[in-house]
Amino acid sequence: MATMTYIQAINQALSVEMERDKNVLVMGEDVGVNGGVFRATADLYQTFGEKRSFDTPLAESAIIGTAIGLANHGFRPVPEIQFAGFVYECMDQISTQAARIRMRSGGRFNAPITVRVPFGGGVKTPEMHSDSLEALFMHSPGVKVVIPSTPYDAKGLLISAIRDDDPVIFYESMKLYRSIKADVPEEAYTVPLGKANVVREGTDVTLIAYGAMVHTAEKAAAQAEKERGVKAEVIDLRTISPFDLETIIGSVTKTHRAVVIHEAAQTGGVGAELSARIHEEAILSLEAPVVRVTGFDTPYPLTAIEDEYLPTVDRICAGIYKTLDF
């Protein structure tokens, strides 16, 4: 067991899987010699060589297109898209090639690709770097979408993603890279995809979040308890596609209220799908409509005002009180 930051856990997951399986390759812009813009791939080039950790041209469509070809021939590539806003350049390769190759080929080929994508706000990045575009891939059948919130989950979920035979989009919150630490086993272990984690028990309202917003939700739960004695249950989705509906419904039928939190724009977001499914599956258990606390329906704003865009503890508490006062 060792104390690791979120990004150290990601680096170690890559290292142990490259050591275990010679078919695991790391590729992307500056991921080789320099170890990536955030140093998530530091030392992999020096340890495993230029044929297994290598730099690519600045062309996201070429990165993912090459990864699909490699995956179809037995490799398990882990390409990095340097920032989430650049993923539009390879949407065709991910959603119409990687996601469909198993069905299209009648099972002859698959695409065991793990696409690492730094995302999220709170770090004062330029335009198109902090976008939260996870809902695009939630709407792409055949793709799994994973978003860890802790160093432990980051390592275990990344190992599970690399070993999975389907394409996985692995979102990494830039805000968490070096802001949190936790004890993480140094050996290989897995955290199952598609299984949520109840990080705080409660009886009065269910808070559902993922990535950096899990920590904001926990702070809001603590504030709501201090201000009004509310016992909020907090669920970390960990995987948004497929998401763990059983855990969500189990919690909502206990608390009778739900607030969904994410920093992506509201319309058509993950919260919209979760709200719909909760109302479909548990409407008779609800004592108030599901509330969403999200980013706004605008492009991600300039860094000077990004704090006004992201969900805050106070905004989440307002959502909690709205469900209680309905």
Side-chain angles (χ1 to χ4, degrees):
M1 192 77 72
T3 301
M4 298 183 196
T5 63
Y6 186 98
I7 201 163
Q8 287 171 331
I10 289 166
N11 179 266
Q12 193 176 88
L14 293 169
S15 181
V16 298
E17 284 305 283
M18 293 177 78
E19 182 68 34
R20 184 188 68 86
D21 185 352
K22 62 181 177 57
N23 291 315
V24 176
L25 310 175
V26 170
M27 55 192 293
E29 300 165 9
D30 300 321
V31 304
V33 177
N34 292 332
V37 66
F38 295 105
R39 303 300 181 259
T41 56
D43 299 325
L44 299 182
Y45 175 89
Q46 290 77 10
T47 302
F48 298 102
E50 63 181 4
K51 291 186 177 180
R52 297 191 58 203
S53 178
F54 53 90
D55 296 330
T56 66
L58 277 67
E60 287 76 18
S61 59
I63 294 170
I64 303 303
T66 300
I68 293 170
L70 288 166
N72 289 173
H73 289 83
F75 292 96
R76 290 185 176 271
V78 187
E80 177 184 286
I81 301 301
Q82 202 166 70
F83 293 96
F86 305 160
V87 80
Y88 289 111
E89 305 299 325
C90 54
M91 281 293 297
D92 178 56
Q93 284 73 21
I94 294 173
S95 295
T96 66
Q97 301 299 325
R100 299 168 184 249
I101 191 66
R102 184 198 294 273
M103 183 182 70
R104 181 179 292 142
S105 68
R108 183 181 176 189
F109 297 106
N110 60 3
I113 302 167
T114 301
V115 184
R116 293 183 43 252
V117 186
F119 87 113
V123 292
K124 309 299 183 184
T125 61
E127 184 186 11
M128 296 185 67
H129 290 62
S130 292
D131 290 353
S132 295
L133 305 174
E134 59 272 13
L136 296 177
F137 296 107
M138 190 183 194
H139 198 64
S140 296
V143 176
K144 297 175 181 177
V145 185
V146 178
I147 309 178
S149 69
T150 67
Y152 181 89
D153 283 353
K155 180 176 177 179
L157 288 168
L158 183 52
I159 291 174
S160 292
I162 292 171
R163 296 181 184 182
D164 199 278
D165 286 335
D166 290 317
V168 177
I169 312 298
F170 193 88
Y171 277 98
E172 301 166 6
S173 174
M174 292 185 287
K175 186 175 182 179
L176 299 181
Y177 270 155
R178 291 178 174 84
S179 65
I180 58 173
K181 292 183 177 181
D183 290 337
V184 177
E186 295 189 81
E187 67 274 11
Y189 64 91
T190 59
V191 173
L193 306 185
K195 182 63 178 175
N197 184 32
V198 178
V199 298
R200 179 187 173 111
E201 298 279 350
T203 56
D204 298 324
V205 61
T206 299
L207 308 184
I208 306 166
Y210 52 87
M213 287 295 105
V214 172
H215 303 281
T216 308
E218 289 185 279
K219 292 175 183 177
Q223 180 166 309
E225 183 170 13
K226 182 179 179 180
E227 291 179 347
R228 292 184 53 171
V230 177
K231 302 291 186 182
E233 184 150 292
V234 180
I235 295 178
D236 178 359
L237 282 180
R238 300 197 291 198
T239 302
I240 66 167
S241 183
F243 60 83
D244 185 356
L245 185 62
E246 181 179 356
T247 294
I248 293 169
I249 297 303
S251 178
V252 171
T253 55
K254 176 178 66 173
T255 67
H256 309 294
R257 297 171 177 85
V259 178
V260 185
I261 305 125
H262 58 69
E263 55 187 278
Q266 183 178 87
T267 300
V270 175
E273 179 62 26
L274 294 179
S275 177
R277 296 295 292 274
I278 291 169
H279 284 103
E280 287 173 355
E281 302 291 336
I283 193 168
L284 296 181
S285 297
L286 290 174
E287 295 184 10
V290 176
V291 171
R292 290 176 288 166
V293 181
T294 69
F296 297 96
D297 290 341
T298 69
Y300 196 88
L302 299 174
T303 58
I305 58 171
E306 72 173 342
D307 291 342
E308 304 300 322
Y309 180 88
L310 297 171
T312 62
V313 169
D314 286 343
R315 284 180 60 200
I316 296 170
C317 283
I320 293 171
Y321 303 152
K322 182 177 180 179
T323 68
L324 292 170
D325 298 336
F326 180 75

